[in-house]
Amino acid sequence: MPISTVSESADQSDRLAQAVRAASADRRPLRIVGGDTKAFYGRAVPGDPLDVTGHRGIVAYEPSELVITARAGTPIVDIERLLADHGQMLAFEPPVLGVASTLGGVVASGLAGPRRPFAGGVRDSVLGVTVLNGKAEALRLGGTVFKNVAGFDGFRLMAGALGTLGVLLDVSIRVAPMAAAEVSRSFDVDWTRAREIITGLMRRPLPLSGAAHDGARLHLRVSGAEGAVAAAAAEIGGDASPETFWRDLKDRRLAPLTAPRLWRLSIPRTAIVDDLPGRWLRDWAGGEIWLESDAAAATIRALATAVGGHATLYRGADPDEAVFTPLSGGLLALHRRLKAAFDPAGVFNPGRMYEGL
Amino acid sequence: MLDQFDNSLDPAFPPVDAVTVFARLSAVLPADGLITRIEGMRVYESDGLAAYRGLPLGVALPRDADQVRAVLRVCFDLGVPVVARGAGTGLSGGALPSPGCILLNLSRMSRIIGIDPEARTARVQPGVRNLAISEAAAPHGLFYAPDPSSQLACSIGGNVAENAGGVHCLKYGLTVHNLQAMDIVMIDGETLTLGSDALDCPGYDLMALMTGSEGLLAVVTEITVRLLPAPTHTQVLLAAFADIRQAGEAVAAIIGAGIIPAGLEMMDKLALRAAEEHTHAGYPIDAAAILLCELDGTDGDVGAELRRVAKVCEDAGATQVRLARDEDERRKFWAGRKGAFPAMGRIAPDYYCIDGTIPRRRLPDVLEEIQRLSLEHGLAVANVFHAGDGNLHPLILYDANIDGQIDKAETLGGAILELCVAMGGAITGEHGVGREKINQMCAQFTSAEIETFFAMKAAFDPAGLLNPGKAIPTLARCAEFGAMHVQGGRTAFAHLDRF
């Protein structure tokens, strides 16, 4: 039988539904709060806090199914520990910015760690959610099985929606086996050379699981079966590298990721963006740039959009400052109509992503 | 029984003047781009689910995105429903023409726009065949991973509409996991780009929403797919079992051991015997079930993991475990599996392929229950499936020339799908809902969920013109269907543990 740790007392779906019903009736905005470890991410929400941390517990975990279902208020560290006990993990390597961090917050923020280009993001791992819509109806979207094409994939929309579409009650996530072996190597090369190395390696069937440049050195990680990892490590060469590098990168503890005002640029990994105006670190095989910079927002956004990417003011935005790259008129209008489909009274985290959404 | 074609349960549209529609459309399409004669439209009256047929008002064959835009704008203006179609290989009637619709055939948009081997992406038009992408990528040592069994013929646009899977998706993911960006045209002609060449985008993940939306939200006119480096070594193992339960348990044990095979397929006795007669794959015909387990990667790893899989199968009670001797035998093993559907033609005139998904651990129970349902309904069922991801393809064998057998097959199929839902699974793993499983949607989703799906559709297509009557049932349909299935307050499958 699957592992389950839920208790009736920790089922707060009725309380949450009542709060949503009341808020919708009065058109009173709610600020949905999990562990609040990512309160800095997105625009400020002027609403009553709706605490979901009490709604917690593992609903079902069966290692041979490669899926875990847990209530949204479950601490992510508890989930990762349980998975590790069974030799499994969350493939997207969520950043954990504090022990209070919850599953719901991880899904709503949609942030993923260094494994993202190789193992997919949050949206790739989510199999289903139960979400309260603005009418306080608990909708079960998706399910617990990997292959499921019945109904629209509304559950994937929840990944990265910053809680603007509903209150997540529980989430089913596909998990991955932990690799039998993992090795990190580092190289004393500049970014131009690092980019060439990464591009070359990624054209071959190597078990890469990390590729980052911290401004001084290139770091590579390979994960997989013993033989493949040993062969790949021998082939790519380089120097030994502390495995703590990847954990510190994932949890945003490396400079410049600790900067009070921090940009995150997401770009095509083969695009060339040089002359960055500040201190940087490149992750995701070059597809994600962390940038500490006092340059004008327009300048930084232009660097990303010029190559088909976008820039997010990850932390430290002024209260009236845009955080995410603005959407075109047509896209923003579609976003508003979709939000209204879930949240007609506009009570869920209004403005956290964009003004008027 | 309930007639699946009872259109009064679906959205209705006011009649339109065909002459006006044709005049407006021919003004925006090339001379050979509009078919309105019945003889010319016959070829489009069904997709891969040939039992469901209907004629459209006309067939539009655009050559580029501008023409798609123009056709949609005309249909939007005049209130004409639109059904998009790729190669027409779908198995759920998703491209079945709705009454009075314009069938938008995208097969002429079949150009591979470019391959970027450094970025490992291919930009393609929607009519490009799935396999053509891998063929074009092969000189760069790359391939496109999702491989539905129709990959020789099916189009990438159709793959996006259905979120197509295939034999290798346990390891490499579904279509949604292998897309980078797409251009879509909305029903009013507005064009949007979803996704990008970066790994994420600002705003909601609309590309994920579009994938698998079965032509109900918008029309895809260009797609950027991700390519993967081709593995250097591939090996397949065949394990035979005297008891199908043991085969099911071996599947869970392989995954539980932390091995993610590139493919993990199961066939039961009826299926493997038919396949063996059809393709001479070398299957042990006295087995109750066989597993095919494919592993790929580097030389050493494939060998080491195969030894672990062999051990797991032996521990589960396998009577025989065989490695394909060489590439030739590997191909033979797969040819038997891929030929399993046509092989059914040897033992029954017709078959009806079901596409439910269940949690892997329920496999033994579900197989026994399917056997029971098969006896109860008096039709044989052969089982072929993607065991690794719990995606069943029970093949119901029947003879359409015997009165009442089609209805019996449909009823049995419906019962199997409801069994999948009761076990915590889904009514469709990869074939889509389309027209075929529209009634079973009412078993999987509540009316609040169905209303949400319609609200999401309305955000894209307020007039509901795109592929009406497919994928999402009206509440009127569910009321009708539900009334039939709740008999005396009893739930189906009360004797089985729920998930």
Side-chain angles (χ1 to χ4, degrees):
Chain A
M1 284 303 287
I3 296 161
S4 176
T5 67
V6 287
S7 69
E8 288 304 312
S9 63
D11 180 358
Q12 301 200 352
S13 45
D14 287 344
R15 177 183 68 83
L16 294 168
Q18 278 168 25
V20 167
R21 202 173 295 119
S24 274
D26 306 344
R27 298 194 164 261
R28 190 164 33 80
L30 293 171
R31 185 172 88 88
I32 306 166
V33 186
D36 224 13
T37 58
K38 293 183 273 281
F40 60 85
Y41 187 59
R43 301 169 72 251
V45 176
D48 299 343
L50 180 68
D51 181 4
V52 298
T53 55
H55 188 65
R56 61 170 67 194
I58 310 292
V59 177
Y61 171 46
E62 173 62 52
S64 76
E65 297 292 335
L66 298 178
V67 59
I68 188 166
T69 301
R71 289 182 182 150
T74 313
I76 198 74
V77 289
D78 289 359
I79 290 175
E80 293 201 301
R81 196 179 306 123
L82 175 65
L83 294 176
D85 287 345
H86 293 85
Q88 297 185 337
M89 63 178 190
L90 298 172
F92 54 88
E93 248 184 350
V96 179
L97 306 185
V99 290
S101 178
T102 61
L103 173 63
V106 162
V107 172
S109 68
L111 297 169
R115 217 178 287 271
R116 171 68 180 92
F118 313 98
V122 182
R123 54 90 83 175
D124 296 303
S125 286
V126 176
L127 298 179
V129 300
T130 307
V131 61
L132 282 175
N133 67 7
K135 291 189 247 172
E137 296 164 329
L139 308 174
R140 179 84 184 133
L141 305 175
T144 63
V145 288
F146 181 51
K147 286 175 86 174
N148 177 5
V149 294
F152 298 134
D153 279 9
F155 56 97
R156 289 189 210 279
L157 272 189
M158 301 299 154
L162 295 174
T164 57
L165 296 174
V167 180
L168 293 173
L169 290 179
D170 61 57
V171 184
S172 297
I173 292 197
R174 190 180 200 228
V175 300
M178 279 178 162
E182 195 154 274
V183 170
S184 296
R185 311 295 293 175
S186 80
F187 304 79
D188 183 15
V189 294
D190 67 8
W191 169 246
T192 303
R193 176 69 191 126
R195 185 180 158 280
E196 288 170 13
I197 292 172
I198 293 171
T199 306
L201 292 175
M202 285 191 69
R203 288 191 59 176
R204 297 164 43 205
L206 295 167
L208 278 177
S209 63
H213 195 282
D214 62 14
R217 295 179 73 84
L218 166 67
H219 300 260
L220 295 175
R221 180 175 64 179
V222 285
S223 318
E226 304 274 357
V229 168
E235 191 179 332
I236 62 181
D239 308 319
S241 167
E243 275 162 38
T244 51
F245 173 83
W246 299 102
R247 176 161 302 239
D248 289 342
L249 174 56
K250 168 179 95 71
D251 292 340
R252 323 291 200 225
R253 286 193 292 263
L254 296 178
L257 278 69
T258 48
R261 186 176 165 92
L262 179 67
W263 285 89
R264 174 182 175 273
L265 281 67
S266 179
I267 60 165
R269 69 176 164 80
T270 52
I272 295 172
V273 180
D274 290 332
D275 303 320
L276 289 164
R279 180 163 185 191
W280 55 262
L281 182 150
R282 298 177 195 246
D283 193 7
W284 290 9
E288 184 181 59
I289 303 173
W290 296 97
L291 177 66
E292 179 183 12
S293 173
D294 292 327
T299 308
I300 292 169
R301 290 203 201 279
L303 283 172
T305 51
V307 295
H310 63 103
T312 302
L313 186 42
Y314 178 77
R315 181 169 47 225
D318 294 332
D320 54 349
E321 202 172 5
V323 168
F324 298 96
T325 295
L327 300 174
S328 71
L331 263 182
L332 182 61
L334 179 55
H335 275 65
R336 286 190 173 134
R337 295 195 300 270
L338 264 176
K339 178 174 168 73
F342 284 90
D343 177 20
V347 297
F348 296 130
N349 282 359
R352 179 119 189 203
M353 188 184 281
Y354 292 104
E355 196 176 349
L357 185 73
Chain B
M1 77 173 281
L2 185 77
D3 180 5
Q4 301 235 4
F5 289 96
D6 183 355
N7 292 315
S8 71
L9 298 172
D10 296 319
F13 300 93
V16 290
D17 172 30
V19 176
T20 311
V21 176
F22 296 155
R24 293 273 303 271
L25 286 177
S26 41
V28 298
L29 285 164
D32 61 350
L34 182 67
I35 303 171
T36 57
R37 289 180 321 144
I38 287 180
E39 316 82 83
M41 298 196 293
R42 284 273 174 228
V43 62
Y44 301 108
E45 71 183 348
S46 73
D47 60 13
L49 186 63
Y52 296 1
R53 291 174 185 277
L55 279 175
L57 181 65
V59 179
L61 294 140
R63 291 197 174 275
D64 58 34
D66 283 338
Q67 291 174 14
V68 171
R69 254 189 297 281
V71 167
L72 290 176
R73 210 174 289 129
V74 167
C75 291
F76 179 68
D77 280 354
L78 301 176
V80 180
V82 178
V83 176
R85 176 184 163 114
T89 57
L91 293 173
S92 57
L96 172 75
S98 305
C101 81
I102 290 298
L103 190 77
L104 184 63
N105 188 317
L106 296 154
S107 61
R108 285 185 179 171
M109 293 174 64
S110 58
R111 203 158 55 83
I112 294 178
I113 299 161
I115 288 183
D116 182 343
E118 288 214 337
R120 286 191 349 210
T121 57
R123 269 178 69 206
V124 298
Q125 290 187 323
V128 170
R129 288 177 308 112
N130 172 295
L131 192 60
I133 302 175
S134 285
E135 286 168 353
H140 305 288
L142 302 170
F143 76 113
Y144 176 63
D147 58 345
S149 56
S150 55
Q151 70 178 147
L152 202 63
C154 65
S155 70
I156 186 69
N159 290 175
V160 170
E162 302 295 324
N163 192 12
V167 168
H168 292 101
C169 52
L170 179 61
K171 179 167 179 179
Y172 295 112
L174 312 168
T175 303
V176 70
H177 303 107
N178 290 278
L179 298 179
Q180 189 75 46
M182 59 175 70
D183 287 346
I184 63 167
V185 182
M186 312 258 277
I187 185 67
D188 61 0
E190 182 176 5
T191 304
L192 296 174
T193 297
L194 310 181
S196 76
D197 290 333
L199 283 178
D200 51 31
C201 269
Y204 299 147
D205 196 336
L206 300 180
M207 184 166 65
L209 182 60
M210 268 300 294
T211 312
S213 61
E214 302 197 20
L216 270 73
L217 300 182
V219 176
V220 176
T221 54
E222 189 182 306
I223 303 149
T224 303
V225 300
R226 288 193 195 140
L227 305 173
L228 292 174
T232 52
H233 285 79
T234 306
Q235 182 55 279
V236 68
L237 168 152
L238 184 157
F241 295 84
D243 175 355
I244 197 160
R245 263 197 110 82
Q246 293 175 331
E249 283 156 8
V251 169
I254 292 168
I255 309 290
I259 298 166
I260 304 288
L264 184 54
E265 300 286 307
M266 193 196 286
M267 295 164 77
D268 73 0
K269 182 176 232 154
L270 197 51
L272 75 91
R273 283 193 172 182
E276 180 59 25
E277 279 177 30
H278 184 64
T279 50
H280 307 292
Y283 296 160
I285 52 166
D286 53 341
I290 59 167
L291 286 183
L292 290 177
C293 179
E294 181 159 287
L295 292 162
D296 64 18
T298 59
D299 193 11
D301 282 332
V302 170
E305 291 214 322
L306 274 175
R307 282 191 291 279
R308 288 176 65 206
V309 171
K311 174 86 170 52
V312 168
C313 290
E314 280 159 8
D315 290 350
T319 53
Q320 190 191 105
V321 176
R322 264 164 66 196
L323 270 188
R325 278 185 311 268
D326 48 27
E327 184 59 19
D328 189 45
E329 192 172 45
R330 187 181 83 83
R331 280 182 206 281
K332 266 184 155 175
F333 282 178
W334 279 117
R337 165 62 186 86
K338 290 193 170 167
F341 289 16
M344 290 303 143
R346 293 180 165 254
I347 49 178
D350 301 286
Y351 68 87
Y352 179 35
C353 177
I354 309 299
D355 176 44
T357 306
I358 53 160
R360 268 181 297 271
R361 69 177 183 282
R362 305 311 299 262
L363 208 51
D365 292 342
V366 168
L367 290 173
E368 278 183 6
E369 185 63 15
I370 289 176
Q371 185 56 35
R372 198 190 64 74
L373 288 170
S374 157
L375 290 173
E376 184 184 311
H377 289 79
L379 291 178
V381 178
N383 283 293
V384 178
F385 42 77
H386 309 305
D389 30 41
N391 188 188
L392 313 175
H393 289 320
L395 302 167
I396 298 172
L397 309 181
Y398 70 100
D399 184 345
N401 290 322
I402 299 176
D403 224 23
Q405 283 219 340
I406 288 189
D407 288 353
K408 260 190 180 175
E410 275 193 356
T411 310
L412 174 53
I416 292 174
L417 293 182
E418 285 155 36
L419 168 68
C420 293
V421 173
M423 293 300 99
I427 59 169
T428 172
E430 57 184 3
H431 296 171
V433 174
R435 189 64 178 168
E436 181 203 20
K437 292 177 273 288
I438 189 118
N439 291 339
Q440 278 75 35
M441 282 292 284
C442 311
Q444 187 167 338
F445 294 101
T446 64
S447 48
E449 288 154 1
I450 285 167
E451 280 182 333
T452 302
F453 290 143
F454 274 118
M456 291 162 87
K457 175 171 172 58
F460 285 80
D461 172 24
L465 292 172
L466 288 169
N467 217 3
K470 313 282 178 61
I472 314 292
T474 57
L475 293 180
R477 177 172 279 283
C478 285
E480 185 83 12
F481 179 70
M484 199 184 73
H485 275 254
V486 181
Q487 295 159 335
R490 281 186 300 119
T491 358
F493 312 109
H495 58 292
L496 291 176
D497 287 339
R498 299 303 168 112
F499 55 99

